[in-house]
Amino acid sequence: MNIIEIKNLSRTYGDEVKTYALINASFSIQKGEFVAIMGPSGSGKSTLMHVLGLLDRATSGTYLFENRDVSTLNDNELAVLRNEEIGFVFQAFNLLPRTTVFKNVALPLIYARDKSEGNKRVRDILEKVNLSHRLGYLTNQISGGEKQRVAIARALINNPSVVFADEPTGNLDSKSGVQVIEILQKLNDEGHTIILVTHETETAECADRVINIVDGKIVSDKRVKSKKRVSANDLIK
């Protein structure tokens, strides 16, 4: 079953002088896939992620999310769909710095329809990312790797169908980066669809499939022949 299907999707900016950030992209992503989107800086990979993640609208083309044509949805409908079905993990973490780990993870519950057992859900997810011992800490009191795991926990709080991770290891040391990728792989094993944006070949090889984008165009879409599994137990000491 396709959870995402796009056809001839384009995104341009500007009126008199147009900048083409995404040009006629077409592909589908099945539920439960782990897909890496690769490309150099300025290639359009983050624009593609923002459009797929409903943070931005395409200029033209068709985008079906769980068989719903997103072009027919108004801003409020998009916000509801985004909050209930999509989780985001960003390179810069995007956490509230003077707020506890617990409250950062619980933040999306403000907009959730189902708030039942919210506190238990926060604790359970923090345990899943090995941060239950940090729930009372302020986020400016924890390490970069821990901040990214808080961001992953926050992305999971509403049990999304798709998790988008935009350069999630970009600000981390190698050990913390491996821990983050290991968590994403385990989430994929549990059935979450993972879409990872990266410029690192080694990171992309941890996915099932790699889509390469250059100058706004999809130039290749290939399955990884030998998917690399990472483990925190194998970290370089």
Side-chain angles (χ1 to χ4, degrees):
M1 173 184 173
N2 290 335
I3 192 166
I4 285 174
E5 186 172 354
I6 64 172
K7 186 174 182 180
N8 298 326
L9 208 66
S10 296
R11 180 66 169 101
T12 60
Y13 298 95
D15 295 321
E16 294 183 4
V17 178
K18 292 185 181 297
T19 300
Y20 292 85
L22 189 62
I23 305 169
N24 293 330
S26 297
F27 58 80
S28 60
I29 294 174
Q30 291 188 336
K31 190 170 184 179
E33 277 196 285
F34 189 154
V35 178
I37 298 174
M38 277 198 70
S41 178
S43 62
K45 59 185 185 297
S46 289
T47 297
L48 177 58
M49 191 206 75
H50 289 161
V51 172
L52 296 181
L54 309 180
L55 294 172
D56 193 10
R57 289 183 183 267
T59 307
S60 61
T62 303
Y63 176 19
L64 302 181
F65 184 91
E66 294 185 327
N67 292 321
R68 298 179 68 181
D69 185 346
V70 301
S71 68
T72 67
L73 305 179
N74 61 36
D75 289 345
N76 288 336
E77 290 169 331
L78 285 175
V80 170
L81 183 61
R82 187 169 55 241
N83 191 60
E84 294 182 350
E85 300 293 340
I86 295 174
F88 294 99
V89 182
F90 297 100
Q91 180 178 350
F93 316 132
N94 291 358
L95 302 176
L96 300 176
R98 292 180 293 278
T99 306
T100 64
V101 166
F102 186 95
K103 288 183 177 179
N104 267 276
V105 175
L107 187 63
L109 291 173
I110 295 174
Y111 308 101
R113 296 182 185 181
D114 180 11
K115 297 181 175 64
S116 62
E117 299 188 332
N119 288 350
K120 182 179 184 301
R121 287 160 65 187
V122 174
R123 293 175 187 275
D124 287 347
I125 290 173
L126 283 172
E127 184 174 353
K128 178 179 285 191
V129 298
N130 300 316
L131 281 177
S132 54
H133 62 297
R134 294 285 196 239
L135 62 87
Y137 281 61
L138 301 180
T139 55
N140 58 7
Q141 296 175 321
I142 61 178
S143 70
E146 289 173 331
K147 288 177 182 177
Q148 195 59 290
R149 283 186 277 153
V150 173
I152 292 173
R154 182 185 58 190
L156 295 174
I157 191 64
N158 285 331
N159 193 30
S161 300
V162 183
V163 175
F164 288 91
D166 190 2
E167 301 279 7
T169 63
N171 284 338
L172 304 180
D173 60 81
S174 58
K175 289 185 178 182
S176 297
V178 168
Q179 290 174 328
V180 166
I181 296 301
E182 181 185 19
I183 290 171
L184 293 176
Q185 287 187 325
K186 287 181 177 178
L187 292 173
N188 182 241
D189 292 340
E190 295 171 4
H192 290 279
T193 304
I194 308 294
I195 300 177
L196 169 70
V197 172
T198 183
H199 66 276
E200 299 172 347
T201 301
E202 187 175 356
T203 301
E205 289 173 349
C206 296
D208 301 311
R209 174 180 164 201
V210 179
I211 296 172
N212 274 282
I213 182 170
V214 176
D215 294 332
K217 296 180 180 180
I218 304 296
V219 296
S220 67
D221 183 351
K222 299 179 180 179
R223 297 217 162 264
V224 176
K225 292 182 179 180
S226 181
K227 178 180 177 179
K228 182 173 66 176
R229 299 289 305 197
V230 298
S231 171
N233 295 328
D234 299 329
L235 294 175
I236 299 173
K237 296 181 181 180

